[in-house]
Amino acid sequence: MKSPVPGYLSRVLASSSASSGGAVADYIPELAGADPDHAAIALATVDGTVYAQGDADLAFSIQSMSKPFTYALALSDRGIDGVGERVGVEPSGEAFNEISLEPDTGRPRNPMINAGAIATHGLVSASSPEERLERVVSWYSRFAGRRLDIDEQVARSELGEGHRNLAFGHLLRSFGIIDGDPVPVVEGYIRQCAVSVTVEDLALMAATLANGGVHPRSGERLLDPKLVRHVLSVMMSCGMYDAAGDWLTTVGIPSKSGVSGGIVGVLPGQVGLAVFSPRLDRHGNSVRGVTMMERLSEDMNLHLMDAARPARSAIRDVRRVEIHGEETTAYVLHGDLVFSSVESLIRRLVEDPPTTRCVVFDVDRVDEVDDVARRMAVEAARSLIDDGHELALADRNGVLGESGLPASTAD
Ligand code: GLU
């Protein structure tokens, strides 16, 4: 059987070709030479399958799509509070290269604008600028699942014109946001932006975030789930330059764009996405890239605010069974146990309590149980025991783990 996914992606790519507006970024001389008609799309699943169409082998510089990944590394090194002392998490509503520093502290508003990204680069722990850059490049490589390298031509080209970023560096130094000489920090930031990637690399990098920080192919944990959540939140609110609010309402996928023409998007638990086409709109976002992401979000129901299906009730069935000759009420549960599904179970137990002394919770058909649901289920079980019931658990797959409840001998 043939998978319908590649055909679908190539239709998305083709349908975006009507969006021919915009212009290639030219403030970095090397980017001005990009072929405006190049376009590519890739989707990586959380189990490591990558589908790609168009100019999928074409390498381009990662530019601002590097920012969330460096932010992730700085967070791993210093923790949320350590980074938060120097870089905020508020959308600036301004262009990527605006100053956007808090008036009193000089703290950049967020790590997705240049000032914040430069400060973030400086927060990566290292004993020298070279070591810092190497840590950053190897970090991206681990997310991509292959060694990535810096495109020296792009780096040189931007270093020669990096006056504005250098100015940010000096300003940040004057506020004490950067320690030591700011010039190597800005140079390191510019070089991080020149790392060469394909849409497949970006989709896998994104899929690692979608997979809660575990690389879909190697199974290596790269980032703590709490930090993944933090990075994705900042991508959602600040990732699309000054079009972030518009992006949230229309596409609804935490994303980051770069002036080379790429957009990388993460749908938690589902997929990593990457699109590429060099012509940019006035915000600096790829025109065809935005069209492709809008279409993917719409067709595949990927808007984050859509994704939360109302949780089903946890109860699949309530049966009367006989166990060891004693009449027993069996609550057969199913699906994922989360707060709302367990709450509906508890409500049922409160409003319509079991009339038999023996009660069984059958969780053999339950897929996952989150922490709050586990705690609530255990509390509910204890309270049934306090009311004089004898309780047992049918949990062949051990989804409730060490609940402290007795296991049922019933089948
Ligand atoms: N290296 C670019 C700069 O600092 C990145 C900008 C971007 O992609 O938004 O200007």
Side-chain angles (χ1 to χ4, degrees), residues 90-108:
E90 293 301 332
S92 69
E94 292 183 318
F96 69 101
N97 58 2
E98 279 308 314
I99 299 179
S100 295
L101 305 183
E102 283 174 0
D104 306 339
T105 59
R107 206 171 62 134

Side-chain angles (χ1 to χ4, degrees), residues 18-289:
S19 312
S20 57
V24 170
D26 56 5
Y27 76 101
I28 301 174
E30 193 63 25
L31 294 186
D35 179 341
D37 294 323
H38 276 148
I41 183 167
L43 177 156
T45 62
V46 288
D47 58 8
T49 304
V50 180
Y51 301 94
Q53 293 292 311
D55 299 305
D57 296 332
L58 185 82
F60 48 90
S61 49
I62 190 168
Q63 297 299 338
S64 280
M65 291 173 285
S66 63
K67 292 171 180 172
F69 295 97
T70 305
Y71 187 50
L73 181 55
L75 289 167
S76 290
D77 284 352
R78 296 182 183 244
I80 291 177
D81 292 343
V83 173
E85 282 166 15
R86 304 211 182 180
V87 181
V89 291
E90 293 301 332
S92 69
E94 292 183 318
F96 69 101
N97 58 2
E98 279 308 314
I99 299 179
S100 295
L101 305 183
E102 283 174 0
D104 306 339
T105 59
R107 206 171 62 134
R109 300 248 182 231
N110 69 68
M112 301 294 139
I113 50 168
N114 282 12
I118 292 167
T120 305
H121 183 93
L123 291 173
V124 171
S125 304
S127 53
S128 68
E130 295 75 24
E131 186 194 322
R132 179 172 298 120
L133 184 62
E134 175 46 34
R135 282 199 69 218
V136 167
V137 178
S138 353
W139 177 248
Y140 301 168
S141 303
R142 284 163 74 193
F143 277 81
R146 73 174 183 103
R147 174 71 200 179
L148 301 175
D149 289 307
I150 293 171
D151 180 332
E152 288 299 336
Q153 253 169 300
V154 173
R156 267 199 303 277
S157 169
E158 188 170 354
L159 284 166
E161 295 293 324
H163 311 297
R164 195 176 177 94
N165 284 332
L166 279 167
F168 288 146
H170 287 291
L171 202 55
L172 291 167
R173 175 72 186 86
S174 76
F175 278 111
I177 301 289
I178 290 181
D179 299 322
D181 185 356
V183 175
V185 175
V186 175
E187 288 179 354
Y189 158 74
I190 288 176
R191 290 174 74 75
Q192 90 175 32
C193 290
V195 166
S196 199
V197 286
T198 64
V199 280
E200 296 202 18
D201 294 325
L202 288 171
L204 265 174
M205 293 170 82
T208 304
L209 294 176
N211 198 29
V214 173
H215 194 278
R217 289 192 175 157
S218 68
E220 186 188 2
R221 165 155 306 282
L222 294 174
L223 200 60
D224 184 88
K226 282 240 157 61
L227 300 183
V228 172
R229 186 178 79 180
H230 187 88
V231 171
L232 293 182
S233 307
V234 174
M235 283 171 81
M236 188 79 256
S237 57
C238 313
M240 296 301 284
Y241 305 122
D242 40 338
D246 200 21
W247 187 260
L248 174 55
T249 50
T250 54
V251 178
I253 299 174
S255 302
K256 184 71 202 87
S257 59
V259 288
S260 48
I263 303 175
V264 62
V266 179
L267 195 74
Q270 295 206 49
V271 288
L273 298 167
V275 292
F276 170 74
S277 174
R279 286 201 193 90
L280 309 180
D281 63 18
R282 66 190 169 85
H283 302 291
N285 298 323
S286 167
V287 174
R288 280 185 73 175

Side-chain angles (χ1 to χ4, degrees), residues 310-355:
R312 288 186 296 174
S313 158
I315 305 173
R316 178 190 160 107
D317 198 7
V318 182
R319 292 187 193 141
R320 278 300 174 89
V321 289
E322 206 165 286
I323 298 177
H324 303 316
E326 180 159 353
E327 213 185 338
T328 300
T329 312
Y331 292 87
V332 182
L333 310 182
H334 67 163
D336 288 344
L337 299 192
V338 295
F339 172 82
S340 49
S341 62
V342 174
E343 188 277 334
S344 73
L345 164 67
I346 291 176
R347 201 159 5 100
R348 167 77 175 259
L349 292 168
V350 171
E351 286 168 5
D352 183 13
T355 49

